[in-house]
Amino acid sequence: MGASYTPRTLFLQLHLLFLLAECSLVSAFYSSSNQNQRATSLDPVHTHWHGGALHREFTAFSSSRSSNDAPQNEQDETTELLEKARLLREQASNLEKTKRQAERVMQQQQEAARQEERQKKDQWKERYSVVIPILKDMGEEVMERVDFAPRIKGGKSRILSTQAPLPLGIVLGQDSESSLITVDDILPEGNGATIGKIQQGDILRAVTACQTTMETPTWQLLAGGIGMPKTRRFMFSADGKALEEVLNAVGSNRMDAAGRDVVLVIERVDS
């Protein structure tokens, strides 16, 4: 198996190779200079002694040959070091490119996972939330999106809202085990059948209800007044309530002075 490199080790090896190459070049330069000087000093001197001249010519020839071979060897070594440095630079560059590509792929995967999670949340919110009228503290009614936790497990249902005037013409019942309020029957002459948005087997999760309270302004209290009755409409949750309470809540919509339709929130099993 080949050796594995990290950017740090490749950088250190490159630095070391460059130092070795520089040292080799400097050494080759000084070695060449010194040997050339020695070769020059051993040049033959023409004298009257024939044997001495031959000896000096031979010595000069040997020194010149040695001085020519040494720089060549050191130059080859320097070239080899530079080639190794080039290969290390190439490996470091490839490793850095691979690292950047891996980081981009990881970022893309993380972004895709976040996008998928957002889509799941949006789908869940769309499936299990509806826009219904909500009574605020100051008495105004505001349309808001409200989430309803599913009573049917496994994501096999959805939350719907519908509205119809009284009489609804639906028969409500309560399951003895789960206490869920369900639509057991729809009378053909009722408004529930007319609008066609309520089905047998639907689970009633919430319904509008009306309540009359006495409101007494401060000036009436100071004057000893008893206040004025005022009817407010609000959303009544059917979860965990007795069937009689739910029926009373539905019937209380007759007290609505504005005569508005009854708003129902139902959970329906996917067909």
Side-chain angles (χ1 to χ4, degrees), residues 93-218:
S93 177
N94 293 335
L95 183 61
E96 187 65 25
K97 289 180 181 178
T98 303
K99 181 181 178 182
R100 288 196 297 267
Q101 290 176 354
E103 289 176 350
R104 284 196 296 269
V105 171
M106 182 176 296
Q107 291 175 356
Q108 292 173 356
Q109 291 176 347
Q110 291 175 349
E111 180 60 28
R114 287 192 293 267
Q115 181 67 21
E116 183 179 359
E117 185 66 22
R118 286 193 295 266
Q119 290 178 353
K120 288 181 179 179
K121 289 182 178 179
D122 292 342
Q123 291 174 357
W124 189 95
K125 191 174 186 65
E126 183 179 356
R127 177 178 284 268
Y128 294 110
S129 67
V130 288
V131 177
I132 53 178
I134 299 298
L135 181 64
K136 295 298 184 178
D137 294 337
M138 299 302 295
E140 72 275 15
E141 192 176 274
V142 179
M143 300 298 292
E144 288 186 356
R145 179 169 289 277
V146 179
D147 297 335
F148 287 84
R151 299 299 299 272
I152 305 299
K153 304 301 182 183
K156 299 179 180 180
S157 63
R158 64 177 58 250
I159 298 295
L160 304 170
S161 67
T162 185
Q163 54 187 19
L166 291 174
L168 296 178
I170 60 176
V171 178
L172 298 178
Q174 187 168 29
D175 185 80
S176 58
E177 295 182 359
S178 62
S179 299
L180 296 176
I181 304 297
T182 58
V183 178
D184 291 347
D185 197 7
I186 302 175
L187 303 179
E189 65 275 10
N191 291 318
T194 302
I195 62 174
K197 294 183 179 180
I198 303 175
Q199 297 180 6
Q200 186 175 354
D202 287 344
I203 301 172
L204 183 63
R205 300 296 305 275
V207 62
T208 51
C210 292
Q211 184 178 27
T212 301
T213 58
M214 299 298 293
E215 290 191 355
T216 306
T218 304

